[in-house]
Amino acid sequence: MEIASDLQSSISNPCMELTEVERERLAKLEQLRASGIEPYPLRSQFVRQRVLAADAVRQVLASAQSQADGTAGDDALSEVAVMGRVVARRIMGRAAFLGVEDGSGKIQFYARVGDDSLDATSFAHFKELDLGDFIEAKGALFITKTGEPTLRVTDWRLLAKSISPLPIAKEEKMPDGSVVRHSAFSDPELRYRQRYVDLAVNPEVREIFVTRAKVIKALREFLDSKGFLEVETPVLQPIYGGAAARPFITHHNQLDQDLYLRISFELYLKRLIVGNLERVYEIGRDFRNEGVSFKHNPEFTQLEFYAAYMDMYDVMDLAEEMLQYVAHQVLPPQAEGKSQFRGHTIHWLQPFKRIKLRDAILERTGIDYTRFPDRQSLADEVLRRRLLTPDVLRGKPWGKIVDSLIGDYVEKELVEPTFLYEYPRDISPFAKSVPGDPTTVERFEGFIGGVELCNAFSELNDPFEQRQRFLEEATNAEEGEANPVDDDYVRALMYGMPVTGGFGMGIDRLVMMFTNRDSIREVLLFPALRQEERAGLR
RNA sequence: GGGCCGUUAGCUCAGUCUGGCAGAGCAGGGGACUUUUAAUCCUUGUGUCGCAGGUUCGAAUCCUGCACGGCUCACCA
């Protein structure tokens, strides 16, 4: 709406922001109208006969092949209709070639003046088409003498005029078959701000989001097949919880009540386990009011599942099986279960490594943290070995120090899929303790390519201990990042929650791992950006 | 929030070190060309050099501040 009114004002106000090229095209559009051609027609004429570009190309190549083999009957190629966006133009006087791209790929249109193609008027308009215009055309398929599958246009219509020039790159086919892109639209800021342009012009960007959809579909397939029920829980929550992060705050006017955008689904999903739903999962958006980075966006997509009667080890098996299923469904067969990520080759189909957190830290830092069971002794030892600076240590409880050691010394090294397990209790307020070790809980995290991917535990179901953990959190957590005491959650546990295994995973990060993107922004259609300052959108 | 780097034509980018007419390719305009494909050939226009100050005879270039972005550190399970 706003863009439309913007354009409106730009048309009525000639000194506004239209560029030379845009004014040029606007004039062209008005000429079309004057000559009785609607630049934005109501509908396509040929939709019902539509053939995808890729299918048309396949069809004509197959036919050419069978003719070369001599196996061809007299299967003359039928007339087809193809529609798409003009992405290349080569005008040659009384003949013209257009590259046309649709959702499936590209095909070439060829038109010329003459009995077997277009009359003079129609051809004149055909030559006037701009890069970015949408058209539909009907005609017979053939292969040019340079071997290009082509539609010989005998009837065509403009479907939508493009005013602003798309930065369409030229593609050069090298002798070795590779394609070099010239002047590609590549400025990251512009690509994210005007993602529609990025998608229109960069096919590999579209491919990322196709893969993303496949990942999510595969996750659903897998969990559905294991008897999980997909559910939806509130995004607007009166008490946020389930993770240590600062929330976004909003307000409901009629209730006159502040609400938080959820930072996790955890506490609501476990209420459902109390309610006998036994196996539930949710795929949805979490919101965390924290800094942004290559792996953090203020809103991100999370998968959480909870399964009654499972423990951490069952969940580990299930998670491994799930990720391998996704890899199998998403990666092309020739990839053989491998993907590239942050300069590493990830082998998805090999058994995941499983390492006790204590051993991982001991190996990387020389510290056996079980020998330093209190904050002071661990801090002293970390300082003695110059592993962390006093600045980093300030205010951190014992568990947070261990966590910092993971982040600084362990995480980056975990390239192949790896589960680290058994975590400090005081950074895990919803996990059950390991028998006989009150400082440690049954919790694991999964790492791939040096990036944390998922987090899971044997869920704490003792309402009295849960209440105690909430209170401990409230006293020693830093400002704004405590899990607030959720009395209703404790009340739910009072009715009895079975032994339960739970799991959470950042889907954006998983997509990064399958698409070899180094930044979370590359796998989000519209990543968070600072608001554009300049008025007028341009 | 800190550090580093960047912002020049519609797109991709030179030019900034060492101040002296604002540049190239593509895209666009005019012309030629009936199987081209980064089409080609002839011809032609293209600018708030991110913004605001300052230094200077003179600033895209040097200085200061600001805005936006990228990377990175911190924060962040």
Side-chain angles (χ1 to χ4, degrees):
Chain A
M1 266 335 203
E2 223 151 277
I3 290 174
S5 68
D6 237 48
L7 196 58
Q8 206 57 47
S9 70
S10 75
I11 290 165
S12 55
N13 175 6
C15 59
M16 89 119 261
E17 319 255 334
L18 286 187
T19 65
E20 200 63 42
V21 174
E22 287 167 334
R23 281 196 292 271
E24 187 78 37
R25 290 195 182 183
L26 203 51
K28 204 183 270 186
L29 180 148
E30 277 153 8
Q31 277 173 5
L32 282 173
R33 282 227 168 92
S35 64
I37 294 172
E38 173 50 47
Y40 301 103
L42 181 58
R43 56 176 62 89
S44 153
Q45 297 287 297
F46 308 149
V47 235
R48 308 214 171 195
Q49 304 145 63
R50 182 185 184 198
V51 172
L52 292 176
D55 291 336
V57 166
R58 258 194 294 280
Q59 193 181 324
V60 68
L61 287 176
S63 152
Q65 184 59 43
S66 61
Q67 273 178 5
D69 297 346
T71 56
D74 48 335
D75 57 338
L77 284 165
S78 55
E79 189 167 76
V80 298
V82 176
M83 46 209 62
R85 179 168 235 152
V86 177
V87 293
R89 270 181 88 227
R90 293 178 290 280
I91 309 301
M92 302 195 47
R94 293 161 71 80
F97 297 86
L98 297 183
V100 173
E101 184 173 82
D102 70 13
S104 71
K106 285 184 204 167
I107 190 167
Q108 177 169 264
F109 285 5
Y110 169 69
R112 65 176 173 181
V113 184
D115 294 341
D116 62 343
S117 190
L118 299 178
D119 64 51
T121 312
S122 181
F123 182 73
H125 286 129
F126 191 80
K127 283 205 296 185
E128 289 286 294
L129 286 165
D130 290 303
L131 292 179
D133 290 349
F134 284 94
I135 66 168
E136 60 181 347
K138 260 202 285 202
L141 298 170
F142 74 109
I143 293 182
T144 64
K145 69 183 181 192
T146 50
E148 186 77 13
T150 302
L151 185 150
R152 180 186 274 105
V153 178
T154 50
D155 191 6
W156 74 280
R157 283 201 357 157
L158 180 62
L159 291 179
K161 188 73 193 155
S162 162
I163 299 298
S164 301
L166 279 176
I168 292 171
K170 293 210 162 190
E171 289 182 350
E172 181 179 13
K173 283 180 189 132
M174 303 308 277
D176 65 357
S178 63
V179 173
V180 174
R181 192 96 56 90
H182 296 272
S183 307
F185 179 65
S186 59
D187 179 325
E189 181 188 355
L190 283 178
R191 287 184 46 233
Y192 301 147
R193 283 201 194 280
Q194 293 183 270
R195 187 65 105 172
Y196 37 90
V197 172
D198 189 29
L199 289 162
V201 142
N202 292 325
E204 72 281 2
V205 175
R206 294 200 290 267
E207 200 51 44
I208 292 171
F209 295 100
V210 171
T211 301
R212 185 183 172 110
K214 283 182 188 164
V215 166
I216 292 172
K217 178 164 180 272
L219 289 167
R220 285 207 165 95
E221 280 169 4
F222 179 84
L223 290 167
D224 291 346
S225 78
K226 296 289 181 184
F228 283 81
L229 183 71
E230 180 169 11
V231 298
E232 292 168 283
T233 60
V235 170
L236 296 174
Q237 304 181 345
I239 297 175
Y240 64 95
R246 275 192 286 267
F248 289 92
I249 304 172
T250 186
H251 185 80
H252 189 286
N253 289 339
Q254 195 194 346
L255 299 177
D256 190 23
Q257 178 188 355
D258 281 343
L259 292 166
Y260 301 93
L261 273 60
R262 65 181 172 192
I263 59 172
S264 86
F265 324 149
E266 170 145 5
L267 300 183
Y268 279 94
L269 291 178
K270 283 192 285 193
R271 282 172 168 94
L272 301 180
I273 301 291
V274 170
N276 285 15
L277 284 181
E278 291 203 345
R279 290 189 176 195
V280 292
Y281 74 95
E282 179 164 7
I283 292 173
R285 212 67 65 85
D286 272 341
F287 305 85
R288 296 187 184 174
N289 205 341
E290 309 275 2
V292 299
S293 78
F294 77 92
K295 51 181 176 177
H296 298 270
N297 194 67
E299 55 180 299
F300 61 100
T301 300
Q302 178 100 337
L303 161 70
E304 290 189 26
F305 69 70
Y306 293 82
Y309 314 116
M310 286 194 179
D311 67 10
M312 170 181 85
Y313 297 97
D314 302 314
V315 171
M316 220 184 276
D317 290 343
L318 193 64
E320 179 170 339
E321 190 185 342
M322 178 174 75
L323 289 169
Q324 292 183 337
Y325 177 80
V326 174
H328 186 260
Q329 296 298 111
V330 167
L331 295 172
Q334 65 270 22
E336 295 173 327
K338 288 177 284 202
S339 73
Q340 295 298 123
F341 178 56
R342 298 184 78 79
H344 307 293
T345 300
I346 312 298
H347 297 78
W348 293 89
L349 301 187
Q350 291 175 6
F352 290 13
K353 291 184 192 164
R354 299 178 182 207
I355 307 170
K356 272 193 188 172
L357 177 60
R358 173 194 169 185
D359 298 337
I361 289 181
L362 178 60
E363 185 189 336
R364 304 288 175 191
T365 67
I367 291 188
D368 177 359
Y369 63 72
T370 61
R371 289 178 47 225
F372 306 95
D374 62 283
R375 189 201 177 272
Q376 196 55 52
S377 66
L378 182 60
D380 289 347
E381 181 64 10
V382 164
L383 284 176
R384 196 181 67 77
R385 292 173 178 266
R386 298 168 192 261
L387 293 167
L388 301 171
T389 62
D391 207 39
V392 173
L393 289 174
R394 187 162 303 124
K396 281 205 163 82
W398 183 81
K400 288 257 184 190
I401 297 175
V402 173
D403 199 43
S404 295
L405 291 175
I406 304 172
D408 287 7
Y409 293 97
V410 181
E411 181 169 350
K412 292 175 187 65
E413 309 291 325
L414 302 177
V415 171
E416 293 288 7
T418 304
F419 294 130
L420 286 188
Y421 66 100
E422 292 191 352
Y423 271 62
R425 185 190 108 123
D426 66 354
I427 52 169
S428 313
F430 302 108
K432 256 185 186 163
S433 295
V434 170
D437 180 358
T439 68
T440 305
V441 292
E442 281 204 352
R443 168 181 174 186
F444 75 83
E445 291 190 319
F447 298 84
I448 295 179
V451 174
E452 183 195 335
L453 177 66
C454 59
N455 181 24
F457 24 89
S458 301
E459 302 293 336
L460 180 58
N461 61 348
D462 175 338
F464 303 99
E465 188 179 351
Q466 184 64 69
R467 181 166 180 74
Q468 186 57 35
R469 298 273 193 100
F470 271 131
L471 295 173
E472 284 169 22
E473 279 279 301
T475 47
N476 62 19
E478 284 170 45
E479 178 197 346
E481 290 179 10
N483 271 290
V485 180
D486 188 335
D487 288 319
D488 178 70
Y489 177 67
V490 175
R491 178 168 66 182
L493 294 185
M494 292 288 282
Y495 288 92
M497 181 170 86
V499 162
T500 295
F503 175 90
M505 177 171 72
I507 288 183
D508 312 284
R509 291 187 188 175
L510 183 63
V511 174
M512 288 164 68
M513 291 167 187
F514 282 121
T515 56
N516 194 19
R517 301 292 134 171
D518 286 350
S519 167
I520 197 169
R521 294 179 163 192
E522 290 289 342
V523 303
L524 294 165
L525 280 168
F526 299 100
L529 300 174
R530 209 179 292 263
Q531 174 135 32
E532 229 168 337
E533 275 288 303
R534 291 163 296 170
L537 284 170
R538 187 177 277 125

